[in-house]
Structure formats: C-alpha cells, structure tokens
Amino acid sequence: MAKLCKISSSLFLSLSLKPKLIYRTNAFLLSRSTATTSNHKIQNAKAGLAKEKRRTRSDKHFNPDAIIHHCNVNHSDIDTATKFSHIPVMLGEVMDVFSAASLTSFVDCTLGAAGHSTAVIKGHPEMKFFVGMDVDSAAHDIAQPRLDAVLSGDVKAFTVLRNFRDVKSVLREISDLHMGVDGILMDLGMSSMQVDNPARGFSVLSDGPLDMRMDPQASLKAEDILNSWPDSEVGRILREYGEESNWRTLQKKIVNARLHGGFHSTTDLLDLIKRVTPPMKGGRQGWIKTATRVFQALRIAVNDELKTLEDSLYSCFDCLAPRGRLAVISFHSLEDRIVKQTFLNIVKGGEDMEERESLNSDLRKTSDEIKEKEAWIKQVIHGSNGTILTKRPITPSGEEEKLNRRSRSAKLRVIQKH
C-alpha cells in the first residue's frame, strides 16, 4: 500500500508540474519567435536605411493633372487611379534637369508615346531642333500626332525609326549641329503599350507569342533562344541577365522541354516556371517574381540591351554641346550599374592625379554654382571631361510610386559635359 501511495504521489507530482513545464516551454518559444521577428524587422529597417543612403528620393510633388496637361494625354488614357497608360515616369524631375539653361536642341532617344518630349518642348519655347528616336513603329504612330500638337513652325523636328545606338549617325545625317545638342534623354523602361500588348510577348500575365523584340523587324525572338540556343548559353542568360538563383534547375528543365515540343507561347514558359518554382510562404505567388526575372533575361538577350546601352551612353555624351546634359532613367540593377560605371569612366577619362588636383578648385567652384541654382542637385562627381550631377541616383517620390506602380524601380542619373 505504501508503494502504491508512493507511485500515486509521484504521478501526482508529475502531473502537477507538467502544465508549468508546457507553459514555460511555450513562453520560451513565443519569446524566441518574438525575438526572431524583432530581429527581422531590425534587419529590414537597416536594409531600407542602406537603400535610402544609396539614392536620393525625389521631393517633387507628383501632380497627375499637370502631367496630363503637359503631355497632351487624354483623361481616357488613364484607366484607374493606380494605373497610368502612357504617363512618363519622373516627368517633373526630367523637366528640372533641363530647366536651368536654354535648350535650343533636344534628342529623345526613346520616344515612346512622346510623353517626356511633348512636355520638354512645351517648356522650352526657345527650342529650334528636335529629334525623337524609337525602333518601334507603333510608338511613332502614337507619338507623331502628340508632337504635331506642340511643335511650332520654328522647330526643325525629326522622328526616326532607329535604335539609339545609331544616335551619332542619325545626327550627322539630319543636322549641321557641329557644336552638339543641349540635351539628350534616355528612358530605358518598357512602355505601357508594349507591356499591355499580349502579341509582343513581354507580359508574364498574358498569353502571347514568345517574341520580346523591341524592334519588330529584328530576326531573333525569345522562342529561338529557348528552343535552339546551347544549354550553357541559356543558363548564362538566366544567371547574368535575370540574376536568377534557381538558374541551373530552370536551364535543365528548359532543355528537357525541347524533347517534348519546346516552347511556342508565353504560357508554355510560364507553366514550366510554375512547376519549378516552390510556393512562397503565406500563399503568395512566388512564380511571378521568378517569371519576371526570366522574362527580363530573355528580353535583354533578344535585344542585346546591355551592350547597346553602354555603347550608346558614350555616343550620346560625344553628341552633347559644352554644358549639355544627358539624363538616363533605368529600371533594373543591371542597367543602373552600367549607367553609373559608364558615367564614371566618361568623366574621369584618362586623367592622372596631377591633372585631377589642378582641376579640383575650378570644378568645386563650378559645382557650387550649379547647386546654388538647382535645388535638385545634392552631390556631384567631378572629372576632366564632365560632371556627374547625381552622385546618388534620384528615385521617384513616394507619391508617384504609389500612384504609378511602374515607376517604383526607376532611377535617374544625369551627366553634364564641360
């Protein structure tokens, strides 16, 4: 009996302690989870702060009605309060870049729907010479009537169906501006009319052919890359142009799919991506981010975008007049990296340390004068050939990002020739 009582008492003691143990364990796990969540929040906050330090957020007020007025855009072009069709990104900031001095000649290397160009022309009645370039004939069809509405008879205006890599030869053919042009703009973003047209094959949300050509007359299509390029090249494109971490698996699956008919539509490719991409936590569609990176990689390869961009930046700078400015809006890290590094290479040129030291005082004086006149300029980088007016890229205001989601990744960099 004593033994039974002993066992019962032990059992009672065990049972009485168990809830406390469970409570303490749960409390420990909750505390640990809270600490982990807190650490993640701190890390995210630090990452956000680091990102802010690498850029200059625009404090320009975003006024959709003013943009509509400046760009000759009809209210019917605005689908909803959060989706803008043919509304140029960072228009106010671009206007500021070219507002400080007389702009008698201007080249828009990426004409699109002429949103930036019409506003710049309206803002500079002194303009005498304008060139709009775009490889897409559909863009010209939309842009031409908008330009006609704002161009006066005093302006020599040309719209050219050419890639901006040809800017030097185009200017030689149509102008006698031996001193160069006052302003050049490159907006590297996809236009709404391209993304929203399923037949172009750019969208991850619509079924269409695997095309992705900026120039409809070009021969290479995304379908050709997926179905016939060497597997090593497919992998390189995904890795370098898409910055896709899962590129090996995607490369293998793409090559294997060729044995079963290959790829002939964006849906064919998206179905493969969905099968390969693991679902994200919280039920979010993780495949969309992967698809966006894959489509970006293919588009860059189809249009040879990065090499074309680098070469064109040098050509555009060569075409500037003294004190002329080149403004570039990029939309992903690969583009921005090229713009940043090329600008640095341009302004530094082949200068040595002695030459740099001798220029410093004059350049510092010049930059102080520029910053006094133009509030948007915060930090500059001097060089013997020119000045980078945006040491950190300018990004859209929070208001613009909220109302125009396609502007969220935009970065504006500006260089001025000496």
Side-chain angles (χ1 to χ4, degrees):
M1 185 70 181
K3 187 175 183 182
L4 179 60
C5 289
K6 188 176 182 182
I7 292 173
S8 299
S9 126
S10 300
L11 180 61
F12 173 78
L13 183 62
S14 172
L15 289 172
S16 66
L17 289 175
K18 195 169 185 180
K20 293 181 181 179
L21 180 62
I22 292 171
Y23 172 79
R24 287 172 184 169
T25 302
N26 287 344
F28 171 73
L29 291 174
L30 179 62
S31 171
R32 188 176 180 182
S33 173
T34 304
T36 302
T37 303
S38 178
N39 286 337
H40 284 162
K41 286 182 178 178
I42 292 170
Q43 288 172 4
N44 289 339
K46 286 181 178 178
L49 184 61
K51 184 177 180 181
E52 288 295 331
K53 287 181 178 179
R54 293 194 300 267
R55 67 179 183 175
T56 301
R57 166 87 67 181
S58 173
D59 55 7
K60 194 89 177 169
H61 175 60
F62 181 68
N63 186 342
D65 292 330
I67 291 174
I68 291 167
H69 170 71
H70 279 303
C71 303
N72 284 359
V73 178
N74 296 322
H75 279 274
S76 60
D77 284 337
I78 300 180
D79 302 325
T80 67
T82 57
K83 182 181 177 184
F84 289 77
S85 192
H86 310 313
I87 298 297
V89 169
M90 301 186 73
L91 178 62
E93 292 76 8
V94 169
M95 296 293 286
D96 282 348
V97 168
F98 297 112
S99 65
S102 175
L103 195 73
T104 58
S105 52
F106 180 70
V107 177
D108 189 342
C109 287
T110 47
L111 181 62
H116 286 111
S117 287
T118 52
V120 171
I121 292 168
K122 270 186 171 183
H124 291 274
E126 74 276 13
M127 191 175 294
K128 300 297 181 186
F129 179 80
F130 169 79
V131 177
M133 300 177 65
D134 206 297
V135 293
D136 193 343
S137 58
H140 284 269
D141 293 339
I142 295 173
Q144 196 62 58
R146 291 182 175 178
L147 291 170
D148 292 342
V150 297
L151 286 166
S152 69
D154 297 332
V155 182
K156 282 186 179 179
F158 305 86
T159 52
V160 186
L161 193 65
R162 300 270 288 277
N163 189 289
F164 52 62
R165 68 161 68 93
D166 301 323
V167 62
K168 264 188 177 181
S169 57
V170 165
L171 289 177
R172 276 198 302 265
E173 291 166 12
I174 63 179
S175 77
D176 54 357
L177 295 172
H178 302 300
M179 294 297 291
V181 295
D182 297 325
I184 300 177
L185 173 67
M186 299 172 75
D187 175 358
L188 305 176
M190 300 281 298
S191 71
S192 300
M193 56 194 165
Q194 291 170 328
V195 176
D196 296 338
N197 183 357
R200 303 297 296 271
F202 291 116
S203 175
V204 301
L205 301 177
S206 304
D207 181 46
L210 281 164
D211 193 317
M212 302 194 191
R213 292 173 297 172
M214 293 291 193
D215 179 1
Q217 303 304 314
S219 57
L220 180 65
K221 301 179 183 179
E223 182 178 354
D224 301 324
I225 294 174
L226 291 168
N227 291 326
S228 60
W229 277 28
D231 55 350
S232 60
E233 275 298 286
V234 172
R236 183 187 67 81
I237 288 168
L238 296 173
R239 183 180 68 252
E240 294 182 8
Y241 298 164
E243 299 182 294
E244 172 56 47
S245 59
N246 199 27
W247 65 270
R248 285 189 181 86
T249 302
L250 284 166
Q251 171 194 324
K252 182 178 178 182
K253 296 292 184 182
I254 287 169
V255 173
N256 287 343
R258 295 172 180 176
L259 304 174
H260 306 284
F263 301 90
H264 304 287
S265 70
T266 55
T267 299
D268 291 340
L269 180 56
L270 290 169
D271 286 344
L272 180 142
I273 292 170
K274 289 176 185 177
R275 290 195 302 270
V276 170
T277 307
M280 292 181 68
K281 292 180 181 179
R284 295 177 63 189
Q285 294 173 313
W287 66 267
I288 290 182
K289 290 188 176 182
T290 301
T292 301
R293 290 190 290 267
V294 171
F295 274 52
Q296 172 184 296
L298 290 169
R299 192 196 74 230
I300 290 173
V302 166
N303 300 286
D304 193 20
E305 291 181 18
L306 302 185
K307 184 70 172 87
T308 298
L309 172 60
E310 184 177 358
D311 293 344
S312 301
L313 291 171
Y314 286 105
S315 295
C316 286
F317 187 80
D318 288 345
C319 293
L320 289 175
R323 302 187 73 80
R325 291 180 177 180
L326 166 62
V328 183
I329 304 174
S330 63
F331 286 83
H332 58 77
S333 59
L334 296 175
E335 288 176 342
D336 183 59
R337 208 173 297 146
I338 289 173
V339 177
K340 176 183 177 181
Q341 190 56 54
T342 304
F343 277 10
L344 287 170
N345 293 342
I346 287 173
V347 298
K348 298 302 181 185
E351 67 188 34
D352 57 27
M353 289 302 295
E354 288 185 12
E355 183 182 7
R356 188 179 303 177
E357 288 298 324
S358 65
L359 286 167
N360 269 350
S361 58
D362 291 338
L363 292 173
R364 193 175 295 111
K365 182 180 177 182
T366 302
S367 73
D368 289 342
E369 290 173 357
I370 292 172
K371 284 191 280 188
E372 275 182 30
K373 290 170 62 179
E374 301 177 73
W376 65 271
I377 299 175
K378 308 300 181 185
Q379 292 178 299
V380 302
I381 298 176
H382 309 299
S384 56
N385 297 322
T387 300
I388 298 172
L389 302 180
T390 48
K391 181 177 181 180
R392 296 173 182 164
I394 300 172
T395 58
S397 65
E399 192 177 5
E400 178 171 4
E401 287 186 2
K402 189 175 178 182
L403 292 172
N404 184 3
R405 290 174 62 83
R406 287 176 179 168
S407 73
R408 287 177 300 172
S409 58
K411 291 181 179 178
L412 172 65
R413 292 185 186 270
V414 184
I415 189 172
Q416 177 173 296
K417 196 171 189 177
H418 284 163

